[in-house]
Amino acid sequence: MAQHKALVQASNGDPSHKICIFGPQYCYPHQFQLLLKEKFFKLRDDCFKIQDTAGNTFFQVSNPWASLRSKHVLKDVYGNDICKIKKKLWAFRYTWHMLAGENMEERRVTIAFRHFALHKKCYVYVYEPPFPHEDDPTETGHMAPLLMMKSSVFGFDIKIYDGQNQDVLYAHMSKDAFRDILLSHGDDSYCLTIEPGVDVAFMTALALMWDYAISDMQKNN
């Protein structure tokens, strides 16, 4: 598929990089874990804490816009922009975009949600060059989803797997059910486990998009 060709090019042809969107520096040869914790007291420029298992800050999330949910920027530990996460307004289904490139205006990824009786599921579409502008119409009818994300019945486990083969798992999100149910602060906490050779920055951005989208659904329903 053309999408897989784009991923191979992004990984500089290294077959050990199974999924590479933001560069081979984010693809590790071993399984990798990150802890994502939404802060109870959310400052506009510091609303999510993302650390490795040793407690070191690994990514930063900023929100320089007035809305707390519609736009965020994922940054590396040095404050360099990696991608922008943006909700699509006036969409038939819940749709979010991942933007990068020049001025953070190139649409690299679109996720579109589908609702089922016992779980939530979304399709992840990855674009190849030339990338559409963030304001261009969202057209994915000609594309096959590269990935899918699906939650368990109660929403505490989310799997990110191959869009054509559910047996191929790329990452797994585990939500802290104790904080979500008993503490009820409205701040979410996840453990994100990423398989070897899979872009850690990309999986982190997908995890954030899922959290923002689900929170937005709950707020508006």
Side-chain angles (χ1 to χ4, degrees):
M1 294 175 59
Q3 294 172 336
H4 289 278
K5 179 180 178 182
L7 294 179
V8 171
Q9 292 173 344
S11 64
N12 296 325
D14 189 336
S16 67
H17 298 161
K18 299 175 183 177
I19 293 187
C20 185
I21 301 296
F22 296 118
Q25 69 272 26
Y26 296 116
C27 300
Y28 300 105
H30 52 81
Q31 194 179 71
F32 197 82
Q33 281 192 331
L34 288 173
L35 305 177
L36 287 69
K37 180 182 177 183
E38 188 176 21
K39 296 183 178 180
F40 177 52
F41 296 104
K42 305 177 185 68
L43 299 177
R44 184 179 298 179
D45 289 330
D46 188 18
C47 53
F48 239 104
K49 180 186 292 185
I50 303 176
Q51 299 175 318
D52 60 20
T53 54
N56 302 307
T57 297
F58 203 83
F59 292 121
Q60 304 175 50
V61 184
S62 69
N63 184 11
W65 293 274
S67 171
L68 286 176
R69 285 291 180 185
S70 63
K71 295 180 182 178
H72 290 79
V73 176
L74 179 67
K75 300 173 178 284
D76 65 19
V77 70
Y78 303 107
N80 301 308
D81 293 348
I82 299 175
C83 68
K84 180 167 72 174
I85 298 168
K86 178 183 178 181
K87 177 185 177 183
K88 177 178 172 58
L89 302 178
W90 315 115
F92 176 69
R93 296 184 175 93
Y94 274 93
T95 302
W96 287 67
H97 296 313
M98 192 182 300
L99 310 171
E102 186 175 358
N103 299 320
M104 307 292 282
E105 294 179 348
E106 296 176 352
R107 188 188 305 152
R108 300 294 180 88
V109 176
T110 290
I111 69 170
F113 278 81
R114 303 290 189 273
H115 293 276
F116 297 89
L118 297 178
H119 61 261
K120 292 182 174 65
K121 184 176 184 179
C122 76
Y123 296 87
V124 181
Y125 299 93
V126 177
Y127 299 89
E128 61 176 311
F131 299 110
H133 186 269
E134 64 172 314
D135 295 327
D136 288 345
T138 303
E139 298 177 355
T140 58
H142 64 291
M143 303 170 64
L146 179 71
L147 306 173
M148 290 189 185
M149 303 178 69
K150 185 171 75 172
S151 69
S152 60
V153 174
F154 295 106
F156 296 125
D157 290 287
I158 302 97
K159 293 182 179 179
I160 305 175
Y161 54 88
D162 188 87
Q164 309 304 316
N165 185 356
Q166 295 189 29
D167 293 330
V168 180
L169 183 68
Y170 292 123
H172 175 233
M173 297 167 58
S174 297
K175 191 173 183 180
D176 190 331
F178 176 81
R179 292 181 60 86
D180 190 69
I181 295 176
L182 299 183
L183 299 183
S184 300
H185 284 164
D187 53 328
D188 293 327
S189 180
Y190 300 92
C191 176
L192 177 63
T193 303
I194 303 154
E195 294 303 310
V198 176
D199 191 324
V200 170
F202 180 41
M203 292 296 110
T204 301
L206 287 179
L208 292 170
M209 292 172 83
W210 178 278
D211 177 77
Y212 297 150
I214 296 301
S215 297
D216 191 62
M217 290 179 199
Q218 294 172 346
K219 178 181 177 181
N220 292 297
N221 289 337

